[in-house]
Amino acid sequence: MTNLIKASLFALCLAGCSIPAFAQISDKAIQKTEEIVTNKFPGTRFFDFQYEQFLPTDYTAKLYDEEMEKGTFSQKRFKTTLNVPFYRTKDNSFVILGTGLYKYESFTFDNVERFPTTYPPLYHSDKEDFHYFATTLRFVYLSKLFSKNVMYNANIIADGSQKGYERINATMMVAFVLKRDKTTTITAGLNGNTTPTAIFPVLPVFTLEHQFSGSPWSIDVAFPKFGYARRELLKDGRLSLGLNYEGELFFTYPDQPGFMSEYHYNRNEIKVGGMYEYCFAKNFILTAKLGTAFTFWGQMKKINSTNKMITTTQDVNGYFNIGFSYNLLRK
C-alpha cells in the first residue's frame, strides 16, 4: 500500500476502531515506485479474518475510583473486515469506498473477589460475550499542493452492537508526501476526529519507509499505529518485528440498578512481538502473530461521554493471532 493510503489508516484507528483503511489507489508516479513486497502484502485487503487468543491475566476494576473487584480473566477475539470500492475516477484521483467490520469479544472470569462500594456495583457472569459492528463510508481525493503529492481523506463511521447502531462520528485527514525515492518514503499530516471521547481531537500523523542499502531489512513506521523492522523470509513470506497500537471498544448494556441502559467500553493496547505473513495462490495471505500485550487501561463510559464510570487495569499478558485475508486488487 502506498504511504498516502497507509496514512489514511490513522483516521479510523483514532476513532476507536481497528478497521483497515481502504483499497489500494495510487497515481502513476506513486505506482512506479511501489515495492514488490508491498504488492504481496498490502495493508488493506478486500477481505480479512483474524482470531486472537490472550493468556489469562490478573485485573482490577474501580467504580468512580473506588475498588470494586479483582480477579483473573482470559480473552479471545474474532474480527472480520470487508473493504469494497464503490466509485473511482479514471485517473484514480477520487475514490469512494465502504468498509464493514464485525468483532466478537469473549471474556471468561475466575477467582473474582468483590468489594463494598458507595455506589451500586456492576455484576457480571463468569463468561461475558460482546458483539461489535462498524460501517464506514470513505472519500479519498489525491491531488498536489505546494508541488507535493497530497491526500485528503474523510470518513463517516457508524458503529453499534447486535442491538443496533449507537453513534455516528467522522474523521478528516490531510497528508503530504514529503519525500519519495527508491529507498525512502516520508509522509506527514494532521488527523481530526469528531468523536467526543477522543483523547486527542487533532493529532499529527507520520509515516516512514526505508530500505537499508545492502541489507534485506527495512523499517516501516506509521505513527501512531505501528513501527516494524521487516524483511522477506522465504520466497513468498515476510517477517516483521516491532510493535503496534490498537484501540479496541464495544458496547455494553448492564440493565442493573444504578446504571443506565447503554455504555461503551474502550481499551488501549500496545502489542510487542513478531508477525509472519505468507502469500500463496497470488491473492491469499496467511498471517501469524505472537507477542506480549501491554494494556494501559480500560474505561466504561456513557456513550459519547468523557466521564469514566468504571476503570480497569490488568497485568501484561501474552497473545497469539492467526489471520487469513484475500487481496482482490493484486495483479
Side-chain angles (χ1 to χ4, degrees):
M1 136 179 105
T2 70
N3 283 278
L4 283 176
I5 303 307
K6 183 186 299 179
S8 65
L9 176 63
F10 306 146
L12 208 53
C13 169
L14 299 175
C17 311
S18 292
I19 307 175
F22 37 78
Q24 287 179 294
I25 55 173
S26 59
D27 60 25
K28 291 182 179 179
I30 294 174
Q31 207 165 32
K32 287 180 180 179
T33 57
E34 283 192 327
E35 299 285 345
I36 295 175
V37 71
T38 305
N39 190 36
K40 287 182 182 177
F41 306 107
T44 301
R45 289 109 190 230
F46 173 70
F47 172 80
D48 184 67
F49 162 89
Q50 295 183 38
Y51 172 79
E52 196 162 42
Q53 179 75 55
F54 294 84
L55 296 179
T57 181
D58 293 335
Y59 76 94
T60 60
K62 292 183 177 181
L63 175 64
Y64 295 120
D65 293 325
E66 294 183 11
E67 192 170 20
M68 184 180 72
E69 72 174 48
K70 66 178 181 179
T72 301
F73 73 80
S74 58
Q75 178 189 359
K76 60 183 177 181
R77 178 184 293 150
F78 162 86
K79 187 185 299 183
T80 183
T81 310
L82 181 69
N83 294 284
V84 181
F86 291 127
Y87 171 80
R88 69 176 64 214
T89 57
K90 291 182 179 180
D91 61 356
N92 287 331
S93 62
F94 179 68
V95 181
I96 302 175
L97 307 103
T99 294
L101 166 74
Y102 167 71
K103 181 176 67 172
Y104 167 74
E105 301 257 17
S106 180
F107 297 84
T108 302
F109 296 88
D110 194 16
N111 301 321
V112 177
E113 181 180 358
R114 295 185 172 89
F115 305 96
T117 57
T118 304
Y119 302 92
L122 176 68
Y123 294 100
H124 57 78
S125 62
D126 292 340
K127 186 175 184 296
E128 295 284 343
D129 300 325
F130 302 93
H131 302 270
Y132 176 82
F133 298 89
T135 54
T136 304
L137 187 63
R138 313 181 189 286
F139 304 88
V140 185
Y141 179 62
L142 297 175
S143 183
K144 282 188 177 291
L145 185 64
F146 307 124
S147 300
K148 298 288 187 181
N149 286 317
V150 61
M151 184 189 72
Y152 305 92
N153 171 232
N155 303 297
I156 301 173
I157 307 156
D159 60 354
S161 70
Q162 73 277 15
K163 294 192 175 183
Y165 284 103
E166 297 291 353
R167 63 182 187 177
I168 297 177
N169 57 73
T171 64
M172 294 76 66
M173 190 202 68
V174 58
F176 290 85
V177 179
L178 303 181
K179 179 181 179 179
R180 189 172 188 95
D181 57 32
K182 291 182 179 181
T183 62
T184 305
T185 301
I186 301 174
T187 72
L190 289 174
N191 178 83
N193 195 337
T194 66
T195 309
T197 57
I199 300 175
F200 302 104
V202 179
L203 191 69
V205 293
F206 173 82
T207 73
L208 166 66
E209 285 183 273
H210 177 72
Q211 177 66 54
F212 294 103
S213 178
S215 170
W217 288 94
S218 65
I219 57 172
D220 190 359
V221 176
F223 176 83
K225 182 61 179 173
F226 62 77
Y228 286 116
R230 303 190 193 270
R231 64 163 295 167
E232 290 191 62
L233 187 62
L234 304 179
K235 181 180 178 181
D236 292 306
R238 181 173 72 170
L239 175 68
S240 300
L241 302 174
L243 58 86
N244 70 290
Y245 160 83
E246 293 184 6
E248 298 288 352
L249 69 88
F250 53 79
F251 296 94
T252 181
Y253 308 90
D255 193 23
Q256 297 178 21
F259 290 85
M260 297 179 61
S261 58
E262 302 168 345
Y263 293 86
H264 80 269
Y265 177 84
N266 65 292
R267 192 173 76 179
N268 291 324
E269 303 170 359
I270 287 185
K271 296 175 179 175
V272 180
M275 173 174 61
Y276 183 73
E277 300 161 280
Y278 181 75
C279 179
F280 66 99
K282 186 178 179 179
N283 293 76
F284 296 91
I285 302 168
L286 289 176
T287 304
K289 303 177 186 178
L290 181 69
T292 303
F294 298 81
T295 301
F296 292 111
W297 44 253
Q299 293 183 343
M300 180 174 146
K301 306 174 184 177
K302 298 176 184 177
I303 295 177
N304 290 330
S305 172
T306 58
N307 298 321
K308 61 180 183 293
M309 188 173 192
I310 292 177
T311 302
T312 62
T313 58
Q314 66 185 71
D315 292 344
V316 175
N317 60 332
Y319 77 96
F320 70 88
N321 179 302
I322 300 295
F324 169 82
S325 59
Y326 176 69
N327 177 20
L328 179 68
L329 298 179
R330 186 183 174 201
K331 298 179 179 180

